[in-house]
Structure formats: C-alpha cells, structure tokens
C-alpha cells in the first residue's frame, strides 16, 4: 500500500506543470481577438467559457473600438490563416496593420496583452510567422502549444523578457491562461 501511494504521489507530481508566469498580471474583463484570423479563436472561446472568465469576443475589433469594450486586458490569438483572412475579407497586410494599431491602443490604455499560439506546428509557416514576429514581442505574457515552438521562435521573440509558457496540447491552455488573470 505504501508503494502504491508513493507511485500515485509521483504520478500526480509529474503531471502538475509549473509555469513561468509566477503571479497574475491581467485584469478582468478581457477582450478576445485574433491576429491572423485563424479559427483557433473559437477554441479559446470554449476554454474561457469553461473557466468562466469574463470577456468579450471580437475577432476583427479595430483599435478605435477597444475603449468601448470596457476591457482591461486583451487576449490575442496568434496565427495566420489564409482561409480565415479570406472569409473575413481582409488581406494579410491589412490584418497586420489592424493588429499593430490594436496593440498600440491597448498599450496606450494600459492593458496587459496575453498572446496565445495554440495551432501547433500546423499553424506555423510563412503567413503565421509574419504575425508572430510583430506581435509576440508586444505581449506581456505568451502561451504556446509545444509543437508550435519546435524551432524556439517564441523563446527568441520573448527574449527571456516576456514570460513564456508551453503546454502539451490545446486542452491544457486554460490553466495558465486563467492563472494570468487577477
């Protein structure tokens, strides 16, 4: 029985992940938006609903509309999708411009920005990386699904100055995301 308890305790300890973000940084409510118009925003919406985190979602919000949301922080879902951009009727360059303006406005309003890249390796490539290079360094905290960071791009972009946490799969994003909020 003692051996079983020891093994069980070891298994529980091994599954408990520690995160680089040591204390909450973001205030509620949040505005949830996209940088790249990938469908990943819908998965984050589900995780936020499950966690009962207060937020408003607008995948195409303009910088000029940010104040009207009443949000105190921004969750930015990072990952370009040519299909998503096409469906939204937005060019990649227009989306980059919108994202840059949105980040500038969020900073001006004193919002914390939490960046999420959950699409893994499949949501990487030339299109997505354009968005990552410009947005990740502007975030206050970044969460990435591990196989989307095999080349350590996120570590390079955060430069050890921005807390970066990696999770094994999308379903594990909720824990560090919720812990980022006060």
């Amino acid at each position: 029985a003692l051996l079983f308890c020891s093994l069980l305790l070891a298994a529980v300890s091994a599954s408990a992940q520690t995160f680089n973000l040591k204390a909450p940084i973001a205030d509620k409510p949040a505005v949830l938006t996209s940088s790249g118009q990938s469908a990943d925003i819908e998965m984050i919406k589900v995780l936020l609903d499950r966690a009962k985190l207060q937020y408003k979602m607008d995948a195409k919000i303009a910088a000029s509309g940010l104040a009207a949301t009443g949000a105190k922080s921004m969750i930015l879902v990072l990952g370009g999708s040519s299909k998503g951009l096409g469906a939204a009727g937005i060019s990649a360059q227009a989306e980059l411009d919108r994202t840059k303006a949105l980040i500038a406005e969020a900073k001006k309003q004193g919002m914390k920005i939490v960046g999420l890249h959950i699409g893994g390796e499949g949501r990487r490539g030339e299109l997505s990386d354009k968005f990552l290079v410009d947005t990740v360094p502007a975030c206050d905290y970044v969460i990435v699904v591990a196989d989307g960071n095999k080349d350590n791009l996120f570590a390079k972009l955060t430069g050890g100055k921005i807390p970066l946490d990696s999770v094994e799969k999308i379903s594990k994003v909720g824990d560090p995301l919720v812990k980022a909020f006060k």
Side-chain angles (χ1 to χ4, degrees), residues 33-37 74-80 92 94-104 106-107 112-117 124 127-143 153-154 156-158 162-163:
T33 193
S34 178
S35 175
Q37 298 300 313
M74 182 165 62
I75 301 169
L76 197 54
V77 181
L78 311 168
E95 179 71 348
L96 278 168
D97 293 344
R98 181 189 72 86
T99 300
K100 286 177 188 175
L102 195 57
I103 288 169
K107 297 270 186 197
K112 294 292 183 187
I113 301 171
V114 177
L116 302 172
H117 185 271
R124 288 287 308 278
L127 178 62
S128 272
D129 289 0
K130 280 184 197 175
F131 290 97
L132 301 176
V133 168
D134 286 339
T135 54
V136 170
C139 293
D140 296 293
Y141 176 44
V142 178
I143 304 168
L153 177 65
F154 289 89
K156 291 172 196 156
L157 294 174
T158 56
I162 301 164

Side-chain angles (χ1 to χ4, degrees), residues 1-22:
L2 185 59
L3 177 63
F4 176 75
C5 289
S6 297
L7 289 172
L8 184 63
L9 186 61
V12 168
S13 297
S15 69
Q17 184 171 354
T18 57
F19 297 109
N20 291 317
L21 185 70
K22 298 303 178 198

Side-chain angles (χ1 to χ4, degrees), residues 45-120:
K45 181 184 182 305
V46 169
L47 293 174
L48 291 173
D49 288 344
R50 273 192 204 148
K52 296 180 176 33
L53 193 76
Q54 192 181 356
Y55 73 97
K56 291 178 180 166
M57 182 174 132
D58 185 342
K60 299 187 288 185
I61 191 167
S64 61
L66 200 54
T69 66
K72 293 183 174 18
S73 56
M74 182 165 62
I75 301 169
L76 197 54
V77 181
L78 311 168
S81 164
S82 54
K83 186 177 176 183
L85 288 166
I90 303 171
S91 71
Q93 188 56 55
E95 179 71 348
L96 278 168
D97 293 344
R98 181 189 72 86
T99 300
K100 286 177 188 175
L102 195 57
I103 288 169
E105 183 60 27
K107 297 270 186 197
K108 187 173 140 190
Q109 291 184 29
M111 290 183 172
K112 294 292 183 187
I113 301 171
V114 177
L116 302 172
H117 185 271
I118 64 163

